[in-house]
Amino acid sequence: GAGVSQSPSNKVTEKGKDVELRCDPISGHTALYWYRQRLGQGLEFLIYFQGNSAPDKSGLPSDRFSAERTGESVSTLTIQRTQQEDSAVYLCASSSPGGEQFFGPGTRLTVL
Amino acid sequence: AQSVTQLGSHVSVSEGALFLLRCNYSSSVPPYLFWYVQYPNQGLQLLLKYTTGATLVKGINGFEAEFKKSETSFHLTKPSAHMSDAAEYFCAVIGGSSNTGKLIFGQGTTLQVKP
């Protein structure tokens, strides 16, 4: 596709359930980023992938959060045992090395 | 460590008027600075960026920003507001000591344009 895509666009889950969020980056982009945007706040960095390795995981808020990437393609962000404070929009971005980050439309996660 | 502060969470401007959105940064290294716009239910779109060179940066749709090192500022301006400019605006700096390119964002400023 022409841009970064994310699925699902919306996810409502119950507290304690696990969720998986998917990001399809722009083809050829080796760098991939996950950010979280809580209501009324700016974006918080979560994790950075270069290829399929994650040299910077410093933004993951707890061990309930994990992410993986297959080659230089799809990435999945997994949140285990979701809590209400996990409710946010999760944004993915991809870029070529040193290049502009292109953002997807995000996944809006609501934890009831 | 890098950080970004956007003064004013909400700004209201009349259509056709000039507007300015404020951004101040903190950085221990020469910063790369960015302005992004986010329309409802959409991802972020890059308006402009400063890396090196000319301190007055021109972006898309008539937006400009000036890097002022002495003031640690990177304020965004547009000479004439359009209704379509109503959106949320984020200032960001590339952070971290490693070359990851991760962005550190301000809290955002919501721009309202009145007819």
Side-chain angles (χ1 to χ4, degrees), chain A residues 62-74:
Chain A
S62 75
D63 59 7
R64 296 186 296 105
F65 287 72
S66 63
E68 63 179 19
R69 188 179 185 195
T70 306
E72 295 181 354
S73 185
V74 174

Side-chain angles (χ1 to χ4, degrees), chain B:
Chain B
Q2 281 86 358
S3 66
V4 175
T5 301
Q6 291 181 239
L7 293 176
S9 59
H10 288 83
V11 171
S12 182
V13 64
S14 297
E15 189 176 18
L18 176 147
F19 66 88
L20 180 148
L21 305 182
R22 298 181 181 277
C23 172
N24 288 87
Y25 69 91
S26 171
S27 178
S28 57
V29 297
Y32 288 5
L33 294 157
F34 305 80
W35 274 101
Y36 285 86
V37 62
Q38 185 178 34
Y39 298 103
N41 300 314
Q42 295 187 28
L44 276 70
Q45 180 183 1
L46 181 67
L47 286 175
L48 48 77
K49 64 181 179 182
Y50 169 79
T51 54
T52 58
T55 56
L56 181 61
V57 180
K58 295 182 185 296
I60 61 173
N61 300 334
F63 286 94
E64 292 184 352
E66 186 171 9
F67 170 62
K68 292 187 177 181
K69 184 177 179 180
S70 62
E71 299 178 6
T72 61
S73 69
F74 190 58
H75 303 330
L76 180 72
T77 64
K78 187 173 181 182
S80 177
H82 291 252
M83 297 299 293
S84 60
D85 293 327
E88 190 158 19
Y89 292 80
F90 293 96
C91 182
V93 64
I94 282 189
S97 57
S98 63
N99 295 321
T100 66
K102 69 181 181 184
L103 292 161
I104 307 299
F105 286 88
Q107 299 289 78
T109 297
T110 300
L111 178 69
Q112 178 188 25
V113 182
K114 298 179 292 184

Side-chain angles (χ1 to χ4, degrees), chain A residues 36 38 46 57-65 86:
Chain A
R36 177 171 72 174
R38 293 178 172 176
L46 296 178
K57 306 178 182 179
S58 62
L60 293 178
S62 75
D63 59 7
R64 296 186 296 105
F65 287 72
D86 299 333

